[in-house]
């Protein structure tokens, strides 16, 4: 085959500098701007944001909209159905469910979001490193997770309660002991798959270090499952709190939380359904908000959907 | 591969040993004793009971005894239920939990993948939104509420299914549904998300342009590649569901294994705690190994035993 | 190859999906047809009940601890054992002990020696005769420290029993002797006026010594080794699931037994229990076999199906009398008097419980319905609070040490605690914190004295006030309050040797008066049995202790 030679002189630099073009990355500011632009356009996702904001505001304002408070009993008007007087009815001790819902929102929203963020941080780093480094490190890290998973949780909680004072800190600690493991497993699985893909290899060949590859390539491409797992963490945390309260480690009675209200309400399902319905409704609304926001973020982050 | 599995088995034994050790010492550190009750026992009887079950030996000797019992797979008598051995409790409870668990896993996997696939293929259409709402309900309503709700509506109000007990296939439907609802929802969400990711990939576009019809694409390419996170999730899920759920068994009066995970701890029934924990751990470790093997079947590019980082 | 495998597995997933959808429909149909079958059956049941189906179905909630009467220590085991075994006496329909395995009972003048003659025709379910030796064997077996019976102390009324059980004495010296096959002699430590109540209690039941000697684990399962001497025998025991009893053809009084079968289920969820009852799967829901969900009680009351029977049990709060501020009797009284007991039984517990202003239930002391103080008296409570604060040298209520109310994890305890917390805040102006923990931890805390106010309850073991009062006789043991009164203790001591029953009752009343005046405990309410049952079910005998005998039960 004959080859044509093109003289060097015919080439001409068109500007741009070579060091910049070596970097395989998008300018980050415009990336996030871009994400936000696309996220804003997603009506459903924005509904989720608005919903969360309303729930947060109501958790602060709601308790003051009624003449009742969350703790005062009124045994004479126990288990009243929703009415003009008690918008969401009353519970077994005659306390106003509306007031308790919004007091509970403070605790449940905080716990849900705090637990989700902590689980996210630990889970992504743990799972990401485990999957990416692989080999023996992977083995150690994942077996550690298995050990935590296999030790009876109830036993750990009982001991936590004996060793530490009940309180918010202990409660969040009790939640995160095992809460991050699902996240870690899923991230690890994704990273195992992604790290053998061409673009990761390319980045490795070009000398990018581990944290850069994780942050720029692996994690963004795992965002879908991560966000989904996070939306599962939120209800988990809300109900784990109820379980911990039941064991004496959660929020002390008579403080309300959605989890405890719903758990108590289950027993009343056939007789006073509003005691289950309202906490369950607001938990579902919160989870709905997180899910649509998660979906919106996923779509917005998906590099292939960029224009 | 065989070498890899061999190595993993070795790790499993080590992991199991750590689990047994930690559980043993945690369990003994918890306040309360298996014989404590409202009416305090005369000290002489208390001492006798402890001697009978070997609780008077030094903690270390007791620990060694438990290790031996784990190796022999004979966990001794229950401290709470007279005349019953832990092995009996497990062999009576596990088949029930296993049957129920399998049904629930089938439901969760089948409906979850179906729902997720439909949602992804009809991205941002009404099917997607419907699937989303079902999933949100499944995720935000935990199994004990789901169980009570299903029981109330289907068994009490409509009387189409039995309220409780473990007798016929009809008796299994409600508990299986309640058990499956959250995993089903989660699997649906995961499937949808990963399928969306895969659908955007070039090889799917290539497949489409090659003229493969969409069912074939879905089956051959999309679902298969979208299964990764679902498989990651399934490992621990399978072991948890197959060993039974305390709340579901309680609500539906099912004589499964799940109750022992909770009651043994509240009873401080040490031998049962060890027995069920070891049993669960073995299942967990095996199912996680299976997950890792499944990874490399799904995506042959995944090399588990690679040496990087060592 | 691999690809084919994958394709296959994917196909499998899809077939599973299809199967599941199809299967689901099948399930639904099967369920419906199943159910209609049930309905068909139950309608015919209803039609023919008066003549045929004599099957009693109930829920006993959990696996019994042990169905060996010498080992049993719980209400669940008791519910089964009372049907399958029979002691020397049995609590009759009128609530008084009557002869059962014993046909004749002779008592010595000092009430310290009993001679029982075993009934002719008393037989075990395998046809063996019931002998005096069977009783001696069973009692001594339970007392033998090597057998680890946790309820052996129920036998301590028998001479030298305690010493033998604690290893200080000899089993041979225990005051129970089989003189011959038919004659059992029992010597007691003290004249025990309620001894014939005790012989109806399960720890006093006999055991077939022939079988028990041959087979140590005779009681682990139903089968040919599991023999009993009561109206029913156990034919099936599916652990953690169900127990089936059938009439014992060898029973001496088998003519009285009408039921053809008893089926006990073990469902540990009371909503499920009631729902199953409503679907016709149980003939009984609620105490003492199971329990009714509190939320359901108002509606059951409304439709008139609820039955309530007071039983010998008291729900109380214990004060730690060595810890400030409850080392002061006035503070204790202030807290006790300011509880609105009527409000609690009417709005929270709801099952007809009786406000308790005394320690001993009215089933034993009938005038205790009135009690020693008012059901709620805020004025008096405030006075006592003021007095107590002065005595302890505090400036005001705020100056008092922080108070925590502890209880074990349970929804009903939590509700009562929250209500009382609110009452104390409202009536006394005291902020009390609540702390709940899991049962084993809680018991440990109480026994260790790591509490200020703690919830507890007591269900009578036998029908005598001493059972409630002796809890507070000594420091330690069951007395977590650390309260002690010489006078109280010596009154109880004396009552043990008093042979005149009226005098004895007076002594016990006086002792109770001291207890209520010193108030180491604040009684809240007396327990009741609340249940619903099949309307046609008749002649179920419920004793004052709340346990149930099905010997005479039948459907009309």
């Amino acid at each position: 085959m004959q080859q044509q030679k093109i003289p060097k002189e015919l080439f001409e630099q068109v500007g741009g500098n070579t060091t910049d073009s070596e970097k395989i990355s998008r300018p980050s500011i415009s990336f996030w701007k871009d994400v936000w632009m696309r996220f804003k356009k997603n009506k459903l996702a924005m509904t989720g944001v608005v919903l969360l904001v309303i729930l947060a505001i109501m958790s602060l304002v709601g308790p003051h909209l009624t003449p009742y408070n969350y703790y005062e009993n009124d045994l004479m008007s126990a288990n009243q159905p929703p009415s003009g007087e008690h918008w969401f009815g009353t519970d077994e001790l005659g306390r106003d469910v509306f007031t308790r819902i919004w007091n509970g929102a403070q605790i449940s929203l905080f716990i849900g979001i705090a637990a989700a963020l902590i689980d996210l941080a630990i889970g992504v780093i743990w799972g990401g490193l485990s999957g990416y480094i692989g080999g023996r490190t992977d083995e150690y890290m994942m077996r550690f997770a298995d050990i935590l998973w296999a030790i009876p949780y109830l036993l750990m909680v009982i001991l936590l309660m004996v060793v530490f004072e009940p309180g918010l800190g202990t409660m969040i600690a009790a939640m995160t002991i095992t809460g991050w493991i699902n996240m870690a497993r899923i991230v690890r699985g994704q990273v195992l798959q992604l790290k053998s893909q061409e673009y990761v290899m390319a980045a490795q060949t070009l000398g990018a270090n581990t944290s850069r590859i994780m942050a720029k390539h692996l994690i963004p491409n795992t965002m879908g499952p991560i966000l989904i797992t996070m939306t599962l963490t939120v209800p988990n945390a809300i109900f784990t709190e109820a379980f911990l309260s039941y064991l004496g480690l959660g929020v002390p009675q008579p403080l309300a939380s959605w989890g405890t209200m719903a758990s108590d309400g289950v027993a009343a399902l056939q007789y006073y359904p509003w005691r289950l319905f309202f906490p369950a409704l607001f938990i579902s609304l919160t989870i709905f908000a997180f899910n649509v926001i998660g979906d919106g973020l996923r779509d917005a982050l998906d590099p292939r959907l960029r224009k | 591969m065989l070498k890899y599995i061999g190595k993993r088995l070795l790790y499993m034994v080590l992991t199991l040993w750590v689990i047994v050790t930690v559980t043993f010492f945690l369990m003994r550190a918890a306040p309360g004793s298996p014989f404590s009750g409202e009416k305090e026992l005369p000290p002489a009887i208390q001492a006798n009971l402890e001697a009978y079950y070997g609780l008077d030996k030094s903690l270390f000797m007791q620990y060694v005894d438990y290790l031996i019992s784990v190796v022999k797979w004979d966990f001794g008598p229950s401290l709470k239920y007279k005349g019953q051995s832990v092995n009996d409790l497990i062999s009576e409870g596990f088949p029930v939990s296993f049957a129920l668990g399998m049904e629930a896993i089938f439901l969760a996997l089948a409906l979850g993948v179906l729902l997720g696939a439909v949602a992804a293929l009809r991205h941002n259409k009404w099917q997607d939104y419907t699937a989303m709402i079902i999933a949100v309900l499944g995720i935000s309503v935990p199994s004990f509420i789901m169980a009570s709700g299903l029981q109330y509506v289907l068994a009490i109000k409509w009387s189409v299914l039995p309220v409780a007990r473990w007798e016929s296939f009809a008796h299994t439907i409600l508990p299986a549904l309640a058990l499956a609802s959250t995993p089903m929802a989660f699997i649906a969400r995961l499937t949808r998300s990963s399928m969306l990711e895969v659908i955007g990939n070039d090889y799917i576009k290539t497949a489409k342009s090659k003229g493969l019809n969409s069912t074939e694409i879905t089956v051959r390419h999309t679902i298969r590649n979208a299964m990764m996170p679902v498989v990651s999730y399934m490992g621990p899920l399978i072991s948890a569901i197959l060993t039974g759920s305390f709340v579901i068994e309680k609500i539906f009066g099912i004589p499964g294994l799940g109750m022992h995970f909770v009651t043994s701890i509240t009873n401080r029934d040490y031998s049962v705690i060890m027995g069920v924990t070891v049993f669960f751990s073995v299942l967990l470790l095996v199912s996680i190994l299976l997950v890792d093997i499944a990874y490399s079947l799904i995506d042959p590019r995944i090399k588990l035993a690679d040496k990087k980082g060592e | 190859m691999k690809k084919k495998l994958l394709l296959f597995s994917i196909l499998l997933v899809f077939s599973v999906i299809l199967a599941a959808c199809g299967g689901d429909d099948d399930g639904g149909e099967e369920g419906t047809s199943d159910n209609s079958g049930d309905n068909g059956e139950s309608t015919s049941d209803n039609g023919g009940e008066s003549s045929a189906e004599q099957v009693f179905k109930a829920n006993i909630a959990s696996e019994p601890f042990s169905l060996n009467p010498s080992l049993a220590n719980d209400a669940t085991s008791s519910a089964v054992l009372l049907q399958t075994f029979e002691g020397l006496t049995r609590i009759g329909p009128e609530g008084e002990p009557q002869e059962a395995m014993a046909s004749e009972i002779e008592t010595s003048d000092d009430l310290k020696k009993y001679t029982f003659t075993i009934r002719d025709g008393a037989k075990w379910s395998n046809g063996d005769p019931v002998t005096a030796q069977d009783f001696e064997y069973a009692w001594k077996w339970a007392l033998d420290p090597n057998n680890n019976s946790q309820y052996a102390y129920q036998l301590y009324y028998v001479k030298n029993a305690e010493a033998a059980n604690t290893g200080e004495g000899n089993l041979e010296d225990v005051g129970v002797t089989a003189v011959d096959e038919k004659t059992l002699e029992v010597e007691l430590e003290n004249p025990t006026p309620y001894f014939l109540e005790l012989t109806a209690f399960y720890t006093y039941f006999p055991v077939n010594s022939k079988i028990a000697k041959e087979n140590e684990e005779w009681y682990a399962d139903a089968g040919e080794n599991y023999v009993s001497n009561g109206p029913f025998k156990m034919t099936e025991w599916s652990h953690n699931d169900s127990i089936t009893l059938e009439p014992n053809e060898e029973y001496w009084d088998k003519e009285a037994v009408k039921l053809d079968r008893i089926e006990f289920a073990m469902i540990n969820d009371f909503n499920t229990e009631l729902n199953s009852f409503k679907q016709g799967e149980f003939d009984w829901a609620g105490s003492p076999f199971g329990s009714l969900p509190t939320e359901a009680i108002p509606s059951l009351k409304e439709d008139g199906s609820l039955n309530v029977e007071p039983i010998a049990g008291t729900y109380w709060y214990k004060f730690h009398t060595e810890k400030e501020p409850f080392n002061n009797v006035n503070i204790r009284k202030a807290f006790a008097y300011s509880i609105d007991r009527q409000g609690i039984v009417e709005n929270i517990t709801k099952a007809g419980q009786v406000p308790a202003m005394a320690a001993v239930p009215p089933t034993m002391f009938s005038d205790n319905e009135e009690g020693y103080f008012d059901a709620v008296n805020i004025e008096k409570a405030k006075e006592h609070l003021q007095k107590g604060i002065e005595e302890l040298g505090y400036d005001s209520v705020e100056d008092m040490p922080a108070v925590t109310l502890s209880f074990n994890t349970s929804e009903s305890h939590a509700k009562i605690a929250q209500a009382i917390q609110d009452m104390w805040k409202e009536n006394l102006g005291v902020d009390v914190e609540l702390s709940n923990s899991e049962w084993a931890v809680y018991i440990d805390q109480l026994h260790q004295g790591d509490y200020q106010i703690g919830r507890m309850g007591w269900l009578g073991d036998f029908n005598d006030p001493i059972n409630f009062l002796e809890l507070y006789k000594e420091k330690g043991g069951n007395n977590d309050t650390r309260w002690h009164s010489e006078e109280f203790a010596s009154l109880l001591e004396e009552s043990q040797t008093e042979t005149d029953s009226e005098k004895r009752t007076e002594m016990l009343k006086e002792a109770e008066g001291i207890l209520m005046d010193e108030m180491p405990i604040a009684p809240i309410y007396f327990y009741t049995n609340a249940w619903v049952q099949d309307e046609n079910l008749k002649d179920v005998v419920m004793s004052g202790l709340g346990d149930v005998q099905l010997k005479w039960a039948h459907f009309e």
Side-chain angles (χ1 to χ4, degrees), chain C residues 120-157:
Chain C
D120 288 327
K123 277 187 190 157
W124 291 99
S125 50
N126 64 351
D128 291 349
V130 177
T131 63
Q133 280 84 357
D134 290 337
F135 281 92
E136 185 187 340
Y137 173 83
W139 296 12
K140 286 189 174 166
W141 191 91
L143 286 168
D144 185 343
N146 296 319
N147 293 327
N148 305 311
S149 168
Q150 300 180 29
Y151 247 36
Y153 68 86
Q154 298 285 357
L155 295 162
Y156 283 3
Y157 305 92

Side-chain angles (χ1 to χ4, degrees), chain A residues 270-284:
Chain A
Q270 296 178 33
Y271 312 98
Y272 317 112
W274 58 90
R275 279 173 46 197
L276 173 63
F277 175 76
F278 288 107
L281 172 73
F282 287 104
I283 293 172
S284 300

Side-chain angles (χ1 to χ4, degrees), chain C residues 60-266:
Chain C
I60 52 170
S62 62
E63 172 84 355
F65 169 73
S66 171
L67 290 182
N68 178 349
S70 307
L71 287 174
N73 65 1
D74 59 317
T76 309
S77 308
S78 163
V80 181
L81 290 173
L82 281 177
Q83 325 313 329
T84 49
F85 278 83
E86 186 165 274
L88 293 163
T89 54
R90 162 186 290 281
I91 306 297
E94 279 77 43
E96 294 298 319
Q98 46 178 241
E99 285 93 9
M101 276 294 113
S103 56
E104 250 175 87
I105 302 168
E106 266 177 60
T107 318
S108 70
D109 293 337
D110 64 354
L111 290 178
K112 282 170 84 166
K113 193 169 169 190
Y114 284 76
T115 310
F116 298 92
T117 309
I118 308 293
R119 180 183 298 281
D120 288 327
K123 277 187 190 157
W124 291 99
S125 50
N126 64 351
D128 291 349
V130 177
T131 63
Q133 280 84 357
D134 290 337
F135 281 92
E136 185 187 340
Y137 173 83
W139 296 12
K140 286 189 174 166
W141 191 91
L143 286 168
D144 185 343
N146 296 319
N147 293 327
N148 305 311
S149 168
Q150 300 180 29
Y151 247 36
Y153 68 86
Q154 298 285 357
L155 295 162
Y156 283 3
Y157 305 92
V158 178
K159 197 172 175 188
N160 294 329
E162 184 166 6
N165 188 227
T166 52
E168 282 156 28
N170 228 322
L171 271 179
E172 283 96 73
D173 301 333
V174 175
V176 53
T177 330
V179 179
D180 56 46
E181 289 224 329
K182 289 278 168 202
T183 319
L184 186 74
E185 259 181 26
V186 181
E187 278 180 275
L188 302 181
E189 286 280 351
N190 293 303
T192 310
Y194 44 89
F195 187 66
L196 293 181
E197 302 260 357
L198 286 173
T199 48
F201 187 75
Y202 51 82
T203 316
Y204 287 80
F205 286 170
V207 158
N208 186 328
S209 51
K210 227 163 84 189
I211 284 184
K213 279 175 192 161
E214 275 167 26
N215 189 333
E216 265 182 46
E217 300 261 286
W218 64 271
Y219 51 85
D221 279 296
E224 59 179 68
N225 279 325
Y226 193 89
V227 296
S228 61
N229 68 330
F232 297 93
K233 61 180 182 189
M234 180 163 72
T235 52
E236 205 193 318
W237 183 3
S238 164
H239 293 287
N240 291 305
D241 187 31
S242 65
I243 285 177
T244 308
L245 309 181
E246 273 167 33
N248 173 6
E249 300 88 30
E250 304 287 346
Y251 184 56
W252 64 274
D253 195 15
K254 66 176 178 207
E255 262 66 71
V257 180
K258 308 269 173 35
L259 292 179
D260 292 329
R261 202 164 66 240
I262 298 175
E263 291 175 16
F264 287 128
M266 302 172 201

Side-chain angles (χ1 to χ4, degrees), chain B residues 38-39 45 48 80 84 251, chain C residues 63 65 145 272 457 461 478:
Chain B
E38 193 167 347
K39 317 182 183 194
I45 297 198
N48 260 319
K80 170 77 184 168
Q84 289 190 50
I251 291 172
Chain C
E63 172 84 355
F65 169 73
T272 305
D461 290 319
N478 287 310

Side-chain angles (χ1 to χ4, degrees), chain A:
Chain A
M1 215 180 272
Q2 226 190 346
Q3 286 200 356
Q4 259 189 319
K5 275 222 169 173
I6 304 167
K8 239 189 202 164
E9 298 78 55
L10 285 180
F11 290 102
E12 161 185 359
Q13 190 151 14
V14 278
N17 88 42
T18 39
T19 29
D20 268 2
S21 64
E22 289 295 304
K23 276 194 182 165
I24 304 174
S25 164
R26 294 192 181 99
S28 26
I29 301 158
S30 83
F31 170 71
W32 287 108
K33 237 187 206 164
D34 196 30
V35 168
W36 174 235
M37 292 268 287
R38 264 174 296 131
F39 185 81
K40 261 199 314 199
K41 276 191 207 140
N42 188 331
K43 279 195 197 112
L44 202 57
M46 284 313 283
T47 319
V49 174
V50 172
L51 195 61
L52 267 192
V53 171
I54 293 176
L55 287 173
I57 292 174
M58 276 305 282
S59 76
L60 298 173
V61 180
H64 305 292
L65 297 180
T66 60
Y68 314 101
N69 57 36
Y70 67 89
Y71 54 84
E72 211 163 319
N73 296 350
D74 179 6
L75 296 181
M76 287 301 122
S77 53
N79 289 323
Q80 301 280 319
S83 66
E85 217 171 308
H86 296 280
W87 299 329
F88 291 173
T90 61
D91 69 3
E92 72 280 14
L93 295 172
R95 297 174 298 200
D96 185 57
V97 173
F98 184 84
T99 315
R100 284 175 68 77
I101 282 282
W102 299 118
N103 266 298
Q106 297 171 5
I107 290 166
S108 292
L109 285 178
F110 173 76
I111 286 185
I113 294 171
L117 290 178
I118 296 175
D119 291 351
L120 174 79
I122 304 179
V124 168
I125 294 174
W126 196 273
L129 286 178
S130 178
Y132 184 69
I133 301 174
R136 198 177 284 169
T137 316
D138 175 39
E139 193 70 39
Y140 290 150
M141 290 178 89
M142 290 326 286
R143 293 303 76 78
F144 177 77
D146 295 348
I147 290 169
L148 276 187
W149 194 258
I151 295 169
Y153 184 61
L154 183 56
L155 203 55
M156 290 198 268
V157 171
I158 288 173
L159 277 161
L160 263 184
M161 196 172 62
V162 174
V163 179
F164 300 103
E165 285 289 301
L168 210 60
T170 320
M171 188 161 69
I172 290 185
M175 280 178 187
T176 34
I177 295 179
T178 55
W180 58 274
I181 296 177
N182 253 336
M183 181 71 83
R185 285 213 181 95
I186 287 179
V187 172
R188 169 181 174 266
Q190 292 304 100
V191 169
L192 275 181
Q193 190 180 26
L194 289 176
K195 76 171 176 185
S196 54
Q197 299 220 342
E198 294 80 0
Y199 61 88
V200 179
M201 290 180 177
Q204 280 170 347
T205 323
L206 290 172
N209 59 18
T210 307
S211 58
R212 189 185 164 76
I213 292 176
M214 289 264 288
K216 289 280 167 190
H217 299 291
L218 297 179
I219 305 300
N221 279 298
T222 318
M223 228 41 204
I226 289 180
L227 286 169
I228 305 269
T229 313
M230 220 177 125
T231 57
L232 186 72
T233 323
V234 179
N236 246 342
I238 290 176
F239 284 101
T240 307
E241 185 273 320
F243 172 71
L244 295 176
S245 294
Y246 189 67
L247 290 170
L249 194 63
V251 297
Q253 286 128 343
L255 271 178
S257 74
W258 288 350
T260 45
M261 289 175 80
S263 313
D264 287 352
V266 172
L269 167 67
Q270 296 178 33
Y271 312 98
Y272 317 112
W274 58 90
R275 279 173 46 197
L276 173 63
F277 175 76
F278 288 107
L281 172 73
F282 287 104
I283 293 172
S284 300
L285 280 179
T286 309
I287 309 312
F288 174 76
F290 275 107
N291 270 286
V292 290
I293 293 172
D295 278 3
L297 268 180
R298 201 210 70 83
D299 288 353
L301 283 169
D302 192 339
R304 283 181 296 269
L305 295 177
R306 294 186 81 197
K307 297 205 175 89

Side-chain angles (χ1 to χ4, degrees), chain B residues 93-158:
Chain B
F94 182 60
V96 174
S97 293
F98 182 83
L100 181 60
M102 283 310 271
E103 199 177 326
I105 290 172
F106 265 33
L107 276 175
L109 204 57
L111 294 179
V113 171
L114 180 70
L115 209 60
V118 168
L121 294 174
R122 300 278 178 275
H123 189 200
N124 286 336
K125 307 228 167 60
W126 67 266
Q127 293 95 329
D128 189 15
Y129 299 137
T130 314
M132 150 92 89
I133 289 179
I134 295 175
V136 165
L137 279 179
I139 287 177
S140 49
V141 177
S143 58
F144 69 97
I145 296 183
M146 186 62 79
S148 298
L150 287 173
Q151 190 188 54
Y152 179 47
V153 174
L154 290 168
I156 309 294
K157 280 216 142 161
W158 299 348

